[in-house]
Amino acid sequence: MSLASGRDHLAIPGPSVMPERVLRAMHRAAPNIYGGELVDMSDTLYADLNRLARNEEGEVVIYIGNGHAAWEASLCNLFNRGDKVLGLINGRFGLGWVDMAASLGIDMLRLEGGSEEPVDPARIEALLREDRAHDIKAVMTVQTDTSTSIDNDIQAIRRAIDAADHPALLLVDCIATLGCQPFDMQGWGVDVMVAGCQKGLMTPPGIAFAFIGPKAWNPDVRPDLRTPYWDWVNRVTTPVFAMRFGGTPPTHHLYGLRAALDMLFDEGIDNVWRRHRMLAECVWCAVDAWQMEGGLRLQVPEPGHRSLAVTTVCSENGAATALREWCETETGVTLGVGLVATPGTNTSDDLFRIGHMGHLNPPMLLGTLASIDTGLKALGIPHREAALEHTTQLLARLIAERGLR
Ligand SMILES: *Cc1c(COP(=O)(O)O)cnc(C)c1O
């Protein structure tokens, strides 16, 4: 017997909870793909995706695929075999993108920041200053690394590149963060950004995006890694609707995405970011309030280095896995597995992740935190009392102050 027989709550860092409005928009008969409503509706998606990313002067391509597809598409369209690229690593996702680039034949320079803090932008600047011949073609980084929940300061990375007076492009993976936390492609000088639909954009996994800023958009240059299917020039310039997708469009995903973007703009993107910040602060408050010898702690010590979309929690003696399994069976909350930052290992029994991205409000998040609190008691995992009391006091304060922040 368990109490899990209500609505299941998925608190993993992607795919995130799918809103009814998105699901309803997808529940329809197959549309014509050669003209009519789908084609007209899709035009609005490109404009609104660029509005969301603040890339109004650039281009955006929709690929059928997951985040990994957008990773590969961005690399293929920008580089030749043997090009030198600087990759920042502070977790499994930064590492995954860098490894993919290396396996494509790109000459990767790796800057590791460890698993608790971002790479220091001063190290980026120093490395670029040494590259007097300007061999390094680009700097690539994740905004949030979803394994460690480290957040990189993208503006600081751009400042480091500029301070070195280096022409390298800046490539950013916002797969975890687009629609969750501030991002301004143009304002921050990002040249290429990749994202998926299943995290902050609340749409079932299946489509991904490459945003291309003016400096990275060179339709007359053909890098030798570019293959016909991923070719973003064809996809942007084709007059044939289906060929924007390299074939049959992802019809129902497009309707789902339309509904998701409507939800984000109806709420107001600044409010969406503010909501994510307030909910993230509740998670940090609860974990800090539980913390004691032998119990849980946040993986990222410095609040300014933490993601607003996901939080990684560390434990001892395998408590994370025990807690995750207890919450799933006994309460119906699914927490994210712990992904280890270093290669060679995979999941860890002393890490779990709380996804707080997308379609999420206080009852959903407080329910998750209260389930964890109950699990700590049920399993005898060391923790301090009254963490939920601290958290709701903080939330009340944040709500009272929201106009000022
Ligand atoms: C989820 C995620 C990915 C991988 O996306 P998939 O859709 O699983 O391929 C890559 N990078 C980051 C930062 C992510 O959060």
Side-chain angles (χ1 to χ4, degrees), residues 208-276:
F209 316 102
F211 295 83
I212 311 145
K215 239 172 79 189
W217 177 249
N218 298 306
D220 302 328
V221 180
R222 243 203 117 68
D224 69 16
L225 282 173
R226 188 179 288 165
T227 52
Y229 184 74
W230 298 118
D231 186 340
W232 61 31
V233 176
N234 278 350
R235 298 223 185 188
V236 168
T237 55
T238 179
V240 181
F241 176 64
M243 294 321 289
R244 287 190 206 163
F245 306 95
T248 306
T251 50
H252 288 63
H253 276 81
L254 298 176
Y255 282 111
L257 179 64
R258 181 64 268 163
L261 290 170
D262 287 343
M263 289 176 69
L264 293 175
F265 292 129
D266 286 354
E267 183 177 351
I269 192 64
D270 291 332
N271 293 331
V272 171
W273 294 339
R274 220 173 272 145
R275 173 167 55 82
H276 278 85

Side-chain angles (χ1 to χ4, degrees), residues 13 66-69 71 93 142 144-146 173-176 198-199:
N66 53 23
H68 284 70
W71 274 358
F93 291 91
V142 291
T144 281
D145 196 298
T146 318
D173 165 345
C174 291
I175 298 173
Q198 78 273 23
K199 299 191 185 181

Side-chain angles (χ1 to χ4, degrees), residues 348-359:
S348 164
D349 287 335
D350 276 317
L351 292 175
F352 72 92
R353 295 173 301 156
I354 303 172
H356 34 92
M357 48 177 60
H359 192 51

Side-chain angles (χ1 to χ4, degrees), residues 94-137:
L95 176 67
W97 200 14
V98 165
D99 281 346
M100 178 189 270
S103 73
L104 285 168
I106 296 166
D107 180 7
M108 291 306 301
L109 288 169
R110 295 162 189 254
L111 254 189
E112 312 252 359
S115 56
E116 294 190 353
E117 60 184 13
V119 176
D120 182 355
R123 292 173 63 201
I124 304 168
E125 183 183 332
L127 238 154
L128 292 177
R129 275 186 194 282
E130 280 168 29
D131 178 38
R132 290 200 184 81
H134 292 170
D135 287 331
I136 297 172
K137 298 281 182 271

Side-chain angles (χ1 to χ4, degrees), residues 239-320:
V240 181
F241 176 64
M243 294 321 289
R244 287 190 206 163
F245 306 95
T248 306
T251 50
H252 288 63
H253 276 81
L254 298 176
Y255 282 111
L257 179 64
R258 181 64 268 163
L261 290 170
D262 287 343
M263 289 176 69
L264 293 175
F265 292 129
D266 286 354
E267 183 177 351
I269 192 64
D270 291 332
N271 293 331
V272 171
W273 294 339
R274 220 173 272 145
R275 173 167 55 82
H276 278 85
R277 166 158 289 285
M278 290 159 79
L279 294 175
E281 287 189 19
C282 287
V283 175
W284 308 338
C285 172
V287 181
D288 277 339
W290 283 318
Q291 183 173 342
M292 63 179 283
E293 193 69 30
L296 306 182
R297 69 173 170 84
L298 293 165
Q299 173 144 354
V300 182
E302 174 60 43
H305 297 163
R306 294 176 193 156
S307 174
L308 301 189
V310 54
T311 297
T312 306
V313 183
C314 310
S315 74
E316 291 177 28
N317 308 313

